Amino acid sequence: AASAGIKVCFHLEPYDGRDAPAFQGDVTYLLDTYGEHPAFHRTPEGKPFWYVYDSYRQPAEFWAAILTPNGSRTLRGTRLDGVFIGLYLSRGHERYAEV
């Protein structure tokens, strides 16, 4: 991808047992393993982009814990911080962005 000038992002799939520590572990593994690859898409500030598939399968409180600055397991302001893009599938899912 890098040699062709293409940037890529990881697509994080849901799985049974995914909780905040597991999600952090997934992001940590991917960053540790592939984070320096030149094709890994990042913001101009260096934050990686992530697609979070079926994000609505986790309660809003799950996302608040890891994606708000004062969340109990926040990724914000750490080396794991990034741009996390969730899936908006149907009316009502906007509640996940309101926490």
Side-chain angles (χ1 to χ4, degrees):
S3 64
I6 297 171
K7 299 289 185 180
V8 297
C9 305
F10 285 95
H11 181 117
L12 303 170
E13 290 279 342
Y15 54 86
D16 290 338
R18 179 171 73 179
D19 58 10
F23 190 84
Q24 286 177 309
D26 296 340
V27 170
T28 299
Y29 169 79
L30 291 168
L31 284 176
D32 288 349
T33 306
Y34 306 104
E36 298 302 317
H37 196 284
F40 194 16
H41 188 49
R42 293 178 177 271
T43 67
E45 298 77 31
K47 291 183 181 180
F49 281 89
W50 306 93
Y51 292 106
V52 183
Y53 188 72
D54 280 355
S55 51
Y56 59 85
R57 290 184 53 189
Q58 302 294 140
E61 293 76 21
F62 170 88
W63 298 113
I66 60 176
L67 297 179
T68 59
N70 296 319
S72 61
R73 307 242 358 153
T74 190
L75 305 181
R76 300 302 183 204
T78 72
R79 73 179 197 90
L80 305 178
D81 202 351
V83 176
F84 294 85
I85 302 167
L87 178 64
Y88 184 94
L89 188 61
S90 61
R91 178 170 278 161
H93 288 166
E94 64 274 2
R95 70 181 177 274
Y96 295 101
E98 295 172 354
V99 175

